[in-house]
Amino acid sequence: MLHNVLQIIFYFLMVMGSMSSSYNVLDYGAISDGYTDNSQAFLEAWNAACNAETRTPQVVVPEDMTFLVMPVIFEGPCIADKIEFMILGTIVAPSSPGFWFGIDTSQWLVFRGIRGLKVDGFGSIDGQGKGWWDQSCKLHPELEGCTKLAPTALKFLGCNDSGVSNIFFRNSPQAHILTRRCNGFRVDKLMIQSPGYAPNTDGIHIQSSHHLSIINSKISTGDDCISIGDYTSNVEIDNIDCGPGHGISIGSLGRSGNFVQVENIYVTNSRFNGTTNGARIKTWQVGRGYLRTVVFQNLKFINVKNPIIIDQNYCDVRGACKELETGVKISRIIYNAMSGTSSTNIAINLNCSRSVPCSGISMQDIQLASATIGKQVIASCTNADGQEFSVVPGPCLQPKIPI
Ligand SMILES: *[C@@H]1O[C@H](CO)[C@@H](O)[C@H](O)[C@H]1NC(C)=O
Ligand SMILES: *[C@@H]1O[C@H](CO)[C@@H](O)[C@H](O)[C@H]1NC(C)=O
Ligand SMILES: *[C@@H]1O[C@H](CO)[C@@H](O)[C@H](O)[C@H]1NC(C)=O
């Protein structure tokens, strides 16, 4: 008898415990009517969770509901070691750029200065980017008051040992996800979708971050599926489907003449369909510093313009950059086991600088053909040395000449 009573009390406490650590936005006044601004309710739910002393407090955005949320910053540090943000329903952005009048147009949803954050759930984040694309200077340079900077849907700034998984992202005004100053970050099982014409809509952009993995995701967008910026190291990218999009890009690096430090980047077991690039590296001549130890392995290309490309003379306006004696040193780049088709006649294009050549390139087991039956493809290498084995089309690297 006593035993049963204790058991009931025990279960009661357990249920209480798990209840008290869940913070549903509805309990903070969120209304799922499609036009009420819910940013205050979301912030209050976040603050309650962040200040909770329970083990893993959880903010919940309930399923089968859509919540309009204005630009908002969810701020840490939080008390618990771990905190979850469960998105089961849909979060939508305001549909018109006018809602950003007078505030920072670079962001919509931001998580900042948090450790152990997990954004998860089977819900979606809809950036309603069309209004921004329609006034973008890239698509409409003639438009008076066109905009260059549009909001990134979800930013993680200074979030360590954190990650995002399972969410469906669509139609961001600009990049879908950005990490900056994050140490230890995991992206898993995301679906990211924007139309191929949507300007600057990178899938995932990484900057100044270390120890990341981006895995098991499908990305279709109007810019890079994944792009890796300056001051980034130890990044594992695996099992990604990219297309349409601009490929998986390291760069552009060194744009402002800074000292680039990027190393240990692994891109493996991924597929590119109808993209402009596959495995791409691009650096500005004004840049300095290094990009070293990069592995591209087991990649498949279908109808890709530039399956393998290094552009060390990157310039956003064709012909506007003069030849310089500076450059980001590119070394130890490994291409291994890659196959598929190219939609242009240069399937392999390593275009390196005369003054700071690419060195220690390795290519092995590469089979690239034209996407048009009967056409030939070529490999073009300029100022690039290294070794190659079983590469079609090839050879093109300069053998390493001992000095
Ligand atoms: C994240 O890690 C960096 C480097 O270790 C540290 O400086 C920063 O304070 C950490 N941030 C949080 C929110 O824990
Ligand atoms: C590649 O993309 C095209 C056009 O979207 C599609 O029809 C085709 O099924 C895709 N191929 C693969 C193997 O996914
Ligand atoms: C290499 O880069 C230079 C400078 O941007 C450009 O003029 C040239 O056409 C490129 N070569 C190839 C093969 O793409």
Side-chain angles (χ1 to χ4, degrees):
M1 183 60 197
L2 178 64
H3 178 76
N4 280 350
V5 169
L6 283 177
Q7 216 166 30
I8 288 165
I9 292 174
F10 176 74
Y11 281 119
F12 180 73
L13 287 176
M14 254 182 50
V15 169
M16 283 292 290
S18 66
M19 268 168 46
S20 66
S21 72
S22 183
Y23 301 84
N24 191 317
V25 293
L26 292 177
D27 297 331
Y28 294 85
I31 299 171
S32 162
D33 59 8
Y35 59 86
T36 303
D37 169 18
N38 290 297
S39 46
Q40 204 51 39
F42 273 54
L43 257 186
E44 280 173 29
W46 169 260
N47 288 336
C50 187
N51 290 318
E53 297 187 7
T54 46
R55 188 182 287 257
T56 307
Q58 192 180 57
V59 172
V60 176
V61 179
E63 64 182 298
D64 297 328
M65 292 189 182
T66 298
F67 299 94
L68 175 70
V69 176
M70 298 289 167
V72 65
I73 301 178
F74 302 106
E75 201 75 65
C78 298
I79 290 177
D81 288 339
K82 289 186 176 159
I83 184 163
E84 292 178 0
F85 200 102
M86 294 298 292
I87 303 172
L88 309 175
T90 300
I91 302 178
V92 296
S95 61
S96 156
F99 285 95
W100 272 262
F101 185 77
I103 57 172
D104 186 349
T105 58
S106 78
Q107 55 199 38
W108 173 34
L109 307 172
V110 179
F111 287 97
R112 187 161 71 191
I114 306 158
R115 183 168 38 102
L117 167 69
K118 186 170 160 190
V119 177
D120 194 4
F122 46 77
S124 48
I125 293 183
D126 183 346
Q128 304 227 69
K130 191 167 182 309
W132 289 96
W133 310 335
D134 287 346
Q135 63 172 47
S136 111
C137 297
K138 201 165 186 180
L139 282 192
H140 308 282
E142 74 296 339
L143 188 74
E144 202 180 318
C146 69
T147 48
K148 287 187 174 151
L149 183 65
T152 293
L154 182 55
K155 285 189 181 180
F156 294 92
L157 309 177
C159 293
N160 299 344
D161 304 318
S162 295
V164 52
S165 44
N166 296 306
I167 313 272
F168 178 21
F169 285 80
R170 56 174 173 253
N171 299 336
S172 180
Q174 204 149 317
H176 290 77
I177 298 172
L178 171 141
T179 73
R180 188 184 299 139
R181 287 178 287 99
C182 294
N183 286 308
F185 197 91
R186 185 180 168 88
V187 176
D188 188 10
K189 299 195 198 73
L190 294 189
M191 174 97 105
I192 298 179
Q193 261 176 29
S194 281
Y197 70 84
N200 301 114
T201 49
D202 280 355
I204 301 165
H205 180 64
I206 300 167
Q207 243 180 36
S208 309
S209 294
H210 310 281
H211 300 284
L212 285 86
S213 64
I214 301 176
I215 59 177
N216 308 326
S217 296
K218 290 192 193 321
I219 306 173
S220 326
T221 187
D223 205 317
D224 294 329
C225 288
I226 300 172
S227 64
I228 293 172
D230 295 336
Y231 312 108
T232 303
S233 67
N234 299 298
V235 180
E236 169 208 356
I237 296 172
D238 186 74
N239 191 24
I240 301 296
D241 282 285
C242 171
H246 295 183
I248 295 181
S249 298
I250 302 176
S252 60
L253 303 176
R255 178 179 195 139
S256 56
N258 50 314
F259 191 88
V260 169
Q261 293 165 283
V262 177
E263 63 187 326
N264 303 333
I265 312 290
Y266 302 86
V267 181
T268 54
N269 308 312
S270 295
R271 295 152 297 277
F272 300 83
N273 184 357
T275 55
T276 47
N277 307 284
R280 170 159 74 159
I281 292 172
K282 52 177 175 170
T283 65
W284 293 77
Q285 287 187 66
V286 294
R288 296 164 304 121
Y290 58 82
L291 164 64
R292 63 192 180 202
T293 313
V294 177
V295 177
F296 291 106
Q297 179 159 288
N298 194 19
L299 306 183
K300 298 250 181 324
F301 308 103
I302 302 173
N303 197 29
V304 171
K305 273 191 184 159
N306 308 296
I308 297 178
I309 181 163
I310 296 179
D311 184 357
Q312 215 185 0
N313 305 308
Y314 184 72
C315 186
D316 53 355
V317 180
R318 194 179 292 260
C321 305
K322 288 210 182 72
E323 185 170 345
L324 300 175
E325 300 213 330
T326 50
V328 177
K329 177 69 188 171
I330 295 176
S331 63
R332 227 178 108 70
I333 313 295
I334 295 164
Y335 300 94
N336 195 11
M338 306 169 73
S339 62
T341 58
S342 170
S343 61
T344 67
N345 70 320
I346 309 183
I348 299 176
N349 187 356
L350 309 188
N351 195 346
C352 298
S353 126
R354 200 194 318 241
S355 355
V356 190
C358 298
S359 61
I361 311 284
S362 159
M363 295 203 266
Q364 187 163 347
D365 293 326
I366 297 174
Q367 286 286 333
L368 295 170
S370 172
T372 312
I373 292 166
K375 271 199 164 177
Q376 297 295 310
V377 290
I378 60 163
S380 161
C381 298
T382 311
N383 305 313
D385 76 49
Q387 298 177 349
E388 58 195 296
F389 181 73
S390 185
V391 177
V392 178
C396 86
L397 290 168
Q398 295 153 357
K400 179 87 188 140
I401 302 154
I403 307 164

